[in-house]
């Protein structure tokens, strides 16, 4: 059973963006002392979904 290449790209994009989102939340908390919930976290989730789509669709195709 072969996995769809686009699904692989979505997974790789999610793995690439997860540490970025965590780092932004931690830095926000550290700099401001305020909880990043709900404004920053919900905004990041929306941006995260859009970023994954852009990364997955524009990445070079590996294999067939």
């Amino acid at each position: 059973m072969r996995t769809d290449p686009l699904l692989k790209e979505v997974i790789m994009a999610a793995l690439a963006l997860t540490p970025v989102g965590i780092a932004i939340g931690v830095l926000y908390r550290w700099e401001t002392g305020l909880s990043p919930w709900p404004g920053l976290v919900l905004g990041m989730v929306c941006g995260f979904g859009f970023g994954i789509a852009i990364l997955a669709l524009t990445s070079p195709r590996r294999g067939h």
Side-chain angles (χ1 to χ4, degrees):
M1 182 173 145
R2 292 189 59 116
T3 306
D4 183 28
L6 186 57
L7 179 61
K8 287 181 184 178
E9 297 302 331
V10 167
I11 292 169
M12 293 305 293
L15 290 174
L17 285 177
T18 298
V20 173
I22 291 171
I24 290 171
V26 168
L27 286 172
Y28 180 86
R29 176 67 176 221
W30 182 56
E31 284 292 321
T32 65
L34 301 172
S35 173
W37 179 259
L40 183 68
V41 173
L42 292 176
M44 283 192 313
V45 168
C46 293
F48 185 79
F50 184 70
I52 287 176
I54 293 298
L55 283 174
L57 291 173
T58 61
S59 65
R61 299 287 179 240
R62 290 181 263 154
H64 298 336

